[in-house]
Amino acid sequence: MLDTWNTFVSDLRVADVRVGQGSALSPVLSALFIAPIMKLFKLWAIRLRATLLSYVDDGTAIVQSKSFDDNNMVLKQAYAILLVLFAALSLVLEHDKTELFHFDRSHSNHNSA
C-alpha cells in the first residue's frame, strides 16, 4: 500500500487489515465476498446436485442421495470446488466454519455415524 499526500509518495507497506467478527461491517463484507462464490459454486456444482447455504460467514454444503458412499464422494468434490473458488478470490476457507451434511434417502434403519 502506498500513502500519498500531494506530491509525496511513501515507501511500500504491508496492509494486513481485518474486520473482527463482532464488527458491524463483518456481515456486509462477508456477503459481498461470499455471494459471488455461491453463484459460481451453483454453476460449477450443478452436476453434483449439491446445495450451498451461508449464514454471514458460516457455510454449509448439503447433499442427499440413497447412499452414504455417493454422498461422501459428492461432498468431497463440492468441498474441492469451494477450496478452488476461495483460493481464486484470495480468500481463506475456514475449515472449522464449513459444515458438510449427509442426508440418507434409503429409508433404512442403518445409522452409519
Side-chain angles (χ1 to χ4, degrees), residues 15-28:
D16 185 16
V17 180
R18 296 175 185 228
V19 176
Q21 185 147 351
S23 169
L25 279 177
S26 182
V28 175

Side-chain angles (χ1 to χ4, degrees), residues 35-47:
I37 288 174
M38 292 185 75
K39 177 71 172 180
L40 290 169
F41 178 85
K42 186 176 181 179
L43 295 172
W44 283 23
I46 197 163
R47 65 177 171 71

